Amino acid sequence: MKFNSLFSIKNVLVTLFVVSIVNNVNNIDAIPLISRDSSDGKWVFVGKTGVSAMHLTLIRPTKVLIIDKAGINPEALISNGKYAYSTLYDLTTNTYRVLSLHTNTFCSAGAYLANGTMVETGGAEDTAGEKNGFQSVRLIDGCDDGKCDWLEFPYELDSARWYNTMTTLPDGRVFNLGGSIKACAINRKDIENPTYEFFPKEDKKGQKIQFLEDSFPFNLYPTVIVLPGPKGQNWLFLAANKKAQIWDFVTKEVVKHLPDIPGGPRTYPLTGTGALIPLTYENNYKSEIIVCGGGTDMKDRNAPAENTCERIDLSEKDPQWDEDEFGPKMKTGRLMPDVIHMPDGKLLYVNGAGTGMAGWDKKATGKNPRLHTAGLPTRNPLLYDPKAKKGSRWSKFAEDPIIRVYHSSATLVPDGTVFVAGSNPNRYYCGMDQCEHPTEHRAETFIPPYLLNGVPKPTITKVAGHSKLNGDDAIPVTYEQKFSVSVDLDSSDPVFTASLSHMGFVTHSQHMSARVVKIKVENVQKSDSGYTMDVTMPPNSNIFPPGRHNYLFILNKGTPAKSAVELHVQL
Ligand SMILES: [Cu+2]
């Protein structure tokens, strides 16, 4: 009660402050860093990433691994004087440590093994004194010790991969799909690589997959999602261009051809994004996919972005795509959206553009204005509630003060906020005043409304008997395990829910391996400083693949705890 009244006073003060600025400048858009009210969310500039965040992943509870491409980067140097293209960003100090890479990561991919090692593969041509990265495998681990760095194996992949997709499998291995053997504006027959391979490698060499032939030429950075189902199912959802299918990664056979996705191609350079609808034990982990946005014409940089989302329920006998608008009422066209799987079971879309296609600027060495292939940056986050009725599923939040177009990225972090960084549609480094869409090194936090609504946030103090949380070791748990969670919370009427989240590896609107699963909470008991409760892990690794870098969120009335806790989910 006391907290709520304090909160509303704070809201009034914020409102008055905003109104006074508005009166001064007569333009609410001139107030970039203060949201108009708590239901709008809030953007906060937090720091600089050192290298532009073309790829990123939450590698420790307080560390975001940032990866750019090899090339000119006056912002950060490796100790040998070369330009850096990877850093480790610390969410607590908002500073970065430079990491050392020597094979070009330009448009590569990543996923975690079940043991917690990050596997990053693929890339592009040698440049700026760095080796080519087409067949490179890069590993990194243990990133809390102030010393960890990349280990690189330049020719470890079976074949060259640029714009490939990787996914953590239910058996703890990593699947690696597609790409091309050269950088390009759109895939071509002479450079395509319609194959897949595994890490660690199988006995056989990389093998062909018909799906990538069927979805040519819009088959770069295909969508790959592990489908929930019974133990031993081994199914992946694959989507690219307008094609979608269910494919078995053990038998290597098509399980089901799905109907074509309505609208235009949804894949690079007409980049949309696919996501697994947040899973829940309440409907026995029903398998649904949503594909949103994209471009409509790859020859016209002014063509409006795709303004639809298509959703399919794979638990049905004869699944069909069901069309919805992308954004509330006004049908927001959006190219290159980033999708964040939120711990409250919703999907948040950030970043992107309203026209054109993904790709470099066209006159990279010319003077201003450089010709960007995408325009009208889409700066308002959109929240999708999959449980709501069609027509009332979308909310729209405060505008991002920073433009985030091609090569931008975003991830959920353990405090329930969204870390947003990157944006660089320029072939070469382009400074802040030199380009309409410069090489962006600024990072922001988006604070969603669920953290601003005054609901008291729990503090998780103990998980499965462990009170040292988010330390060197993630807390080991396994499937079907029921374990106790303690929280501090000063509230007499809490409503607890819990979810398990993997934030994935993020690049080019692909949130590889990302998912969120609502798990059961029971036996809530009052304790001295808060509450204890039991939570139950999902039944198997198809519902939530194994590994660390997985987070337990406890929510009170939909508001997440001050920090989620890292788990090591073991087979
Ligand atoms: Cu790229």
Side-chain angles (χ1 to χ4, degrees):
M1 195 62 197
K2 195 178 161 200
F3 185 97
N4 282 339
S5 45
L6 270 177
F7 189 82
S8 49
I9 290 169
K10 192 174 140 205
N11 260 359
V12 170
L13 289 175
V14 168
T15 310
L16 287 174
F17 179 53
V18 171
V19 167
S20 72
I21 296 178
V22 173
N23 287 341
N24 285 341
V25 297
N26 280 326
N27 178 7
I28 202 154
D29 291 325
I31 317 160
L33 294 180
I34 302 165
S35 66
R36 281 155 238 170
D37 74 57
S38 61
S39 65
D40 247 4
K42 188 174 174 180
W43 288 94
V44 183
F45 165 75
V46 287
K48 296 185 89 179
T49 52
V51 303
S52 194
M54 181 182 289
H55 323 71
L56 60 73
T57 179
L58 182 75
I59 195 163
R60 282 292 180 271
T62 59
K63 303 276 194 306
V64 181
L65 177 67
I66 314 273
I67 307 161
D68 193 5
K69 61 177 167 46
I72 298 165
N73 175 31
E75 291 258 340
L77 299 175
I78 309 177
S79 51
N80 64 4
K82 285 186 171 181
Y83 297 119
Y85 48 108
S86 179
T87 59
L88 193 62
Y89 186 92
D90 188 316
L91 294 166
T92 56
T93 60
N94 290 304
T95 56
Y96 62 82
R97 179 164 71 82
V98 170
L99 300 177
S100 197
L101 269 178
H102 300 289
T103 61
N104 189 4
T105 43
F106 176 54
C107 307
S108 50
Y112 292 96
L113 291 169
N115 71 2
T117 299
M118 168 84 226
V119 186
E120 218 278 348
T121 77
E125 290 82 0
D126 54 322
T127 183
E130 304 295 274
K131 289 193 193 78
N132 90 66
F134 282 115
Q135 281 180 265
S136 186
V137 171
R138 313 169 188 90
L139 306 177
I140 193 162
D141 207 355
C143 264
D144 245 352
D145 61 0
K147 293 192 284 254
C148 78
D149 214 325
W150 289 99
L151 209 56
E152 287 175 276
F153 304 90
Y155 301 102
E156 191 64 19
L157 286 187
D158 276 346
S159 54
R161 297 189 188 278
W162 179 84
Y163 267 67
N164 51 318
T165 294
M166 294 168 68
T167 302
T168 302
L169 292 173
D171 60 15
R173 294 179 300 161
V174 163
F175 180 66
N176 202 343
L177 179 66
S180 59
I181 61 168
K182 255 183 133 175
C184 56
I186 184 167
N187 211 352
R188 301 194 309 266
K189 278 288 167 194
D190 59 320
I191 59 167
E192 67 168 346
N193 184 357
T195 70
Y196 61 88
E197 59 185 285
F198 296 85
F199 188 90
K201 287 186 185 194
E202 285 195 335
D203 298 341
K204 290 176 218 150
K205 298 282 280 177
Q207 297 167 74
K208 286 221 166 196
I209 180 166
Q210 185 61 35
F211 176 77
L212 292 177
E213 301 281 20
D214 296 346
S215 52
F216 179 85
F218 297 99
N219 59 3
L220 295 175
Y221 277 134
T223 295
V224 179
I225 295 171
V226 171
L227 287 179
K231 197 171 181 179
Q233 180 179 259
N234 306 322
W235 289 358
L236 298 176
F237 169 86
L238 307 179
N241 197 338
K242 293 167 62 64
K243 300 291 172 195
Q245 68 174 223
I246 300 172
W247 187 79
D248 189 311
F249 66 85
V250 172
T251 64
K252 321 282 169 56
E253 282 171 3
V254 180
V255 177
K256 191 180 262 182
H257 290 280
L258 298 167
D260 278 6
I261 306 168
R266 304 275 181 166
T267 322
Y268 175 82
L270 301 175
T271 306
T273 192
L276 180 66
I277 295 274
L279 300 176
T280 168
Y281 71 92
E282 295 156 314
N283 63 15
N284 198 27
Y285 313 100
K286 190 161 88 165
S287 182
E288 285 186 277
I289 304 284
I290 186 165
V291 177
C292 286
T296 56
D297 184 350
M298 72 159 290
K299 293 193 180 72
D300 180 6
R301 63 184 293 272
N302 297 311
E306 180 67 59
N307 62 8
T308 59
C309 291
E310 305 291 339
R311 178 168 164 176
I312 194 165
D313 181 351
L314 299 175
S315 68
E316 286 178 1
K317 249 201 166 135
D318 179 25
Q320 299 295 324
W321 294 99
D322 183 40
E323 188 161 295
D324 202 345
E325 54 197 12
F326 192 6
K329 305 289 183 270
M330 66 275 289
K331 286 192 157 214
T332 314
R334 190 173 294 219
L335 172 79
M336 305 182 291
D338 272 296
V339 59
I340 313 294
H341 299 66
M342 301 301 280
D344 60 354
K346 295 174 185 163
L347 297 171
L348 184 80
Y349 292 84
V350 297
N351 301 345
T355 62
M357 68 215 80
W360 290 131
D361 55 1
K362 293 297 182 202
K363 294 261 188 267
T365 52
K367 289 182 179 156
N368 269 343
R370 295 183 183 208
L371 192 60
H372 291 297
T373 57
L376 297 182
T378 44
R379 297 163 75 163
N380 298 89
L382 301 171
L383 186 71
Y384 178 81
D385 180 356
K387 284 186 178 166
K389 273 198 187 143
K390 211 194 258 190
S392 56
R393 288 175 180 158
W394 291 100
S395 320
K396 186 176 170 182
F397 301 142
E399 184 177 288
D400 186 346
I402 297 175
I403 287 172
R404 307 282 186 187
V405 286
Y406 190 42
H407 294 145
S408 57
S409 53
T411 182
L412 177 70
V413 295
D415 65 4
T417 64
V418 179
F419 180 84
V420 181
S423 188
N424 185 19
N426 311 293
R427 187 177 296 257
Y428 304 104
Y429 174 84
C430 191
M432 294 306 292
D433 302 324
Q434 299 167 289
C435 272
E436 186 189 359
H437 300 161
T439 304
E440 193 56 73
H441 289 82
R442 291 174 293 174
E444 293 165 291
T445 288
F446 176 66
I447 307 171
Y450 69 5
L451 289 168
L452 300 170
N453 59 10
V455 173
K457 300 177 185 74
T459 302
I460 304 175
T461 57
K462 205 171 193 182
V463 174
H466 298 260
S467 43
K468 188 167 186 266
L469 309 176
N470 293 334
D472 289 346
D473 298 313
I475 292 165
V477 293
T478 190
Y479 297 99
E480 292 186 295
Q481 186 182 341
K482 186 188 278 194
F483 57 86
S484 173
V485 178
S486 305
V487 300
D488 282 351
L489 181 66
D490 185 10
S491 169
S492 58
D493 61 343
V495 179
F496 293 114
T497 53
S499 61
L500 210 53
S501 172
H502 178 67
M503 287 70 156
F505 179 94
V506 183
T507 188
H508 293 78
S509 304
Q510 303 307 303
H511 290 239
M512 301 175 191
S513 313
R515 63 175 57 206
V516 63
V517 184
K518 185 175 183 182
I519 59 174
K520 198 172 190 178
V521 176
E522 49 194 345
N523 303 328
V524 175
Q525 309 270 342
K526 184 87 187 79
S527 69
D528 287 348
S529 55
Y531 296 86
T532 62
M533 66 200 82
D534 290 333
V535 301
T536 305
M537 290 290 292
N540 68 59
S541 62
N542 288 316
I543 290 156
F544 198 85
R548 69 181 286 181
H549 314 98
N550 294 313
Y551 288 83
L552 172 69
F553 282 84
I554 299 290
L555 303 94
N556 173 26
K557 296 175 182 162
T559 291
K562 285 177 186 156
S563 176
V565 171
E566 191 188 19
L567 303 179
H568 193 156
V569 182
Q570 302 185 335
L571 280 170

